[in-house]
Structures are given as structure tokens and as C-alpha cells.
Amino acid sequence: MALAGDKNEILGEHGFPSASNLHRSRDKTEDGEDDSKKTRFESCFDQPVDSSVHEIIKLTPSSLPAEHYDAETTEPISCGLSSMDELLSWNRSKANSFNVAVVPLAPREPRLVNCLHRTLVSHDMMGGYLDDRFVQGTNSEAPYAFYHWQYIDIFNYFTHQLVTIPPAVWTSAAHKHGVIVLGTFITEWTNGAAMCEAFLKDEESYRAVADKLVQISQYYGFDGWLVNIENALS
């Protein structure tokens, strides 16, 4: 029962007018006047039977390349860059916005710069980008995980692609525990040797590579790179 001045109003569940109020609004008043002419609560039954609401939904095709989506489920996934051309042409318009980590790096004691000994864990697991590639989660019952972040100073996500961008799930988990995250820049074998000869030939070339790597880490929210040269250098 809600009291408003000298008038009493019966309210139904959740504060809406009760059915009895709506019914009585159609009764005659004591002086014979049709009460329906007076102000009453509007009911959903007052709407025309054939009335409806139409909503137009427009689907805009994604501008990201197909490799940013799983071929079977079409879910967004994490992935790296496989060639120097991909790296040097990278810009924010080609970036995967699904894979941006949003958890800031938590403070840690002692600070990493004050540690004489540092522990780096490298996630070199079956080529990488397994269940953890699904940025919106997975139904896997036993995804790879570990529970000893307090013993780790640096976490490196490793694959054998030229440029490995850590999945956001790992960056977010590490940052929550104050652990910095590194992607991987790797060159291997004969192709790697030729690639190194090309981008290390002068300062302009290797600065262009370094600048792109910095831009990528800043965009995706991780902290730097493990540079892994596994080939001969002149």
C-alpha cells in the first residue's frame, strides 16, 4: 500500500499498479461519471494487437585478415607475423583489437631492477597458439596453466614464427601478478641468416625493425621482446 496525500493506491509486485487498480479505472464513480475519462495507468493491453517493433541489424564485414579468426569456429584468435614484409608493413589498422591486454602491470616487491637473479619462463609449448589462442576463452577441460607466478620475474611467450605476439590471456595473467611479458623475435636456419643479413646491413634497416617491434608491444600491452638469433651471422 502506498500513501500519497489523502489518496491510497494499491501497488502490485515490483511497484507497478495492481490488476485491480486497472480494472476499477473502468468503473463508474459515485456521481455516475465514467472513471475511464479520468487519468488512469496505461496498460500493455491498450496497444493495438498487430503493433510490433522492427529493428534493422547491419553486419559490417571485418577488416582483419582471415588468420585472425579460427577456421572452424570463426572465433577471434591470437597470432603472430611470419615474414619481414608483414612486420615492416604493420600498422594499427592491421592490428587485432581482440588481442589487446588491458590488465596493467601490478607493482612487485622487490622491484625487478633490484633483483640480482631473475627467473625467466619461456612458454615453448608445441609450437604455441594452442587453446590459449582463443581470446574469448575455450571449452578445453585441461588447458595448460601454472600456479607459481610468485617465483617468476619474466614470462616469455615463444613460437617459431618470426614475430610472436603473446595472447592477451597470458599478458593479463602475468601482469596481475607483477610479471613482465615478452614476445619473441626469432630468426632460424638459412632463411634466418639471409633475413639477418638484410635487416642488419645498416642502421636505418635495423632501426625500422626495432621501431615496429616497439609499436607492436605498445599496442598489444606487453612489455618487450626476447630476441633469439638461431643462425650464423657474418
Side-chain angles (χ1 to χ4, degrees):
M1 178 79 74
L3 303 181
D6 58 350
K7 297 181 180 180
N8 293 343
E9 177 184 330
I10 301 176
L11 298 181
E13 190 177 6
H14 307 300
F16 292 111
S18 67
S20 57
N21 272 10
L22 296 176
H23 178 70
R24 283 201 303 273
S25 65
R26 296 182 174 86
D27 295 340
K28 300 289 185 178
T29 57
E30 293 181 0
D31 57 6
E33 183 181 356
D34 189 348
D35 193 47
S36 62
K37 296 180 181 179
K38 296 184 178 181
T39 302
R40 65 181 180 85
F41 295 105
E42 183 178 356
S43 168
C44 61
F45 297 107
D46 295 329
Q47 301 297 324
V49 176
D50 59 347
S51 67
S52 60
V53 176
H54 297 276
E55 181 179 2
I56 299 176
I57 300 176
K58 296 182 179 180
L59 299 179
T60 304
S62 172
S63 60
L64 294 177
E67 60 262 25
H68 290 289
Y69 300 92
D70 182 66
E72 295 183 1
T73 66
T74 71
E75 294 179 79
I77 57 175
S78 306
C79 62
L81 308 177
S82 58
S83 71
M84 189 61 69
D85 288 340
E86 280 189 271
L87 173 60
L88 294 177
S89 64
W90 185 92
N91 56 55
R92 288 176 177 264
S93 65
K94 297 181 180 180
N96 184 352
S97 57
F98 294 110
N99 195 41
V100 176
V102 296
V103 177
L105 181 63
R108 184 167 178 149
E109 292 295 338
R111 297 176 59 198
L112 187 61
V113 295
N114 298 330
C115 295
L116 297 179
H117 304 284
R118 301 176 184 178
T119 300
L120 181 148
V121 169
S122 186
H123 180 278
D124 186 2
M125 182 180 181
M126 300 173 64
Y129 295 128
L130 302 176
D131 291 327
D132 52 13
R133 74 185 186 277
F134 292 101
V135 296
Q136 294 178 322
T138 175
N139 291 325
S140 174
E141 295 182 356
Y144 174 76
F146 57 81
Y147 306 94
H148 49 275
W149 288 104
Q150 68 272 25
Y151 302 120
I152 298 173
D153 300 304
I154 304 167
F155 176 80
N156 163 235
Y157 195 83
F158 189 98
T159 75
H160 289 271
Q161 295 189 35
L162 176 65
V163 176
T164 299
I165 299 170
V169 291
W170 281 109
T171 302
S172 297
H175 280 182
K176 182 179 179 180
H177 295 87
V179 176
I180 67 172
V181 178
L182 305 181
T184 302
F185 176 79
I186 183 175
T187 61
E188 300 178 283
W189 313 109
T190 304
N191 289 340
M195 194 178 298
C196 287
E197 292 295 331
F199 84 84
L200 293 175
K201 64 182 180 180
D202 54 45
E203 182 175 350
E204 182 181 0
S205 298
Y206 68 71
R207 281 190 177 275
V209 170
D211 287 345
K212 287 297 182 180
L213 292 175
V214 171
Q215 292 171 32
I216 290 172
S217 64
Q218 289 180 341
Y219 177 84
Y220 287 107
F222 59 97
D223 309 295
W225 298 92
L226 171 74
V227 178
N228 187 26
I229 306 298
E230 294 192 21
N231 50 256
L233 295 174
S234 62

